Amino acid sequence: MQTYWPEFLTVALVHLLAVASPGPDFAVMLRQALFQSRRNALLCAVGIGAGILVHVTYSLLGIGLLIQQSILLFSILKVLGALYLAWIAVQCLRARAGGIHVGQHSGTRQSGAAALRLGFLTNTLNPKATLFFVSLFSVVISPGTPVALQAGYGLYMALATGLWFAMVAVFFTLPRVRRGFNRFGHWLDRLMGGVLLLLAGQLLLSTVSGSEPPSGPTPGTGR
């Protein structure tokens, strides 16, 4: 087991740099934390962590390589991801002054299941997360590493991701932090919508231009 510690530390470091970088997950999580209840924000974080397990599963099964090498399959994934981000962006851009009040009971508009689903789909439909995990399991993690240990790496990344976004949720649901956003909450919502819309446009543009996916894992994958 000791021979795999360097590999695990490499996986942990690369994952840390990736999960802390700005992207769809963080934008959605920030909006949840500011405009929903802490419970719903934490459920969204759980959903994002659960989405990681989907990427890990198909990477372990080798399906990830098939998606990466198939232009059609990967293009479908990018289009689906872009459309989902665009849908979330439209909800954000429709925010009106006075229409959002960041307060103790602001989370009543969304059910727990909806919050969980939002986090799960945001991560699962992120094609950059697909590239990250396919590259991680094909470049960083040795093929000789036992499958059980590889699954352990995946479980760690899912838990670490969920914990990171849970901390984001707790911080941005603090009353002091929320009160600071009361005056310009609708502008922040519109900003988040603009960011998500740009990310969606970038995905669609890369699909049309047929840009090739990277060959190795890099920080800033947008997870």
Side-chain angles (χ1 to χ4, degrees):
M1 291 295 295
Q2 293 182 353
T3 58
Y4 295 108
W5 273 111
E7 182 178 78
F8 170 74
L9 293 176
T10 302
V11 169
L13 177 61
V14 173
H15 173 258
L16 175 64
L17 294 174
V19 77
S21 63
D25 287 353
F26 186 83
V28 169
M29 190 68 246
L30 180 61
R31 183 173 187 262
Q32 283 291 104
L34 290 175
F35 304 126
Q36 294 295 326
S37 66
R38 176 171 290 183
R39 172 178 173 273
N40 282 354
L42 289 173
L43 284 172
C44 185
V46 172
I48 293 174
I52 298 295
L53 294 177
V54 175
H55 298 297
V56 171
T57 299
Y58 63 63
S59 295
L60 287 175
L61 295 176
I63 300 175
L65 286 175
L66 177 63
I67 296 175
Q68 185 188 34
Q69 294 172 2
S70 171
I71 297 177
L72 177 60
L73 287 177
F74 193 66
S75 295
I76 291 174
L77 178 61
K78 287 197 289 186
V79 170
L80 289 176
L83 292 177
Y84 186 69
L85 290 180
W87 180 81
I88 300 174
V90 170
Q91 311 306 310
C92 298
L93 292 172
R94 293 172 61 186
R96 295 175 295 175
I100 296 175
H101 177 69
V102 184
Q104 184 177 1
H105 303 291
S106 60
T108 57
R109 298 187 307 272
Q110 185 187 54
S111 67
L116 186 68
R117 183 172 61 248
L118 176 64
F120 180 77
L121 290 178
T122 299
N123 184 272
T124 304
L125 294 177
N126 184 1
K128 291 189 177 181
T130 299
L131 287 177
F132 173 81
F133 280 96
V134 169
S135 300
L136 188 70
F137 278 86
S138 61
V139 178
V140 177
I141 299 176
S142 170
T145 302
V147 174
L149 194 56
Q150 294 186 41
Y153 293 166
L155 182 60
Y156 161 79
M157 288 185 283
L159 292 174
T161 300
L163 180 60
W164 164 257
F165 285 111
M167 291 190 294
V168 173
V170 170
F171 176 76
F172 284 101
T173 51
L174 291 174
R176 288 184 180 181
V177 176
R178 284 189 156 184
R179 284 195 296 268
F181 288 94
N182 273 336
R183 293 183 179 180
F184 54 91
H186 64 289
W187 288 111
L188 179 65
D189 213 15
R190 293 174 183 176
L191 176 62
M192 291 296 101
V195 169
L196 291 172
L197 199 59
L198 285 174
L199 289 171
Q202 184 183 37
L203 283 178
L204 289 176
L205 183 61
S206 67
T207 303
V208 173
S209 62
S211 58
E212 293 296 327
S215 58
T218 55
T221 57
R223 278 198 321 103

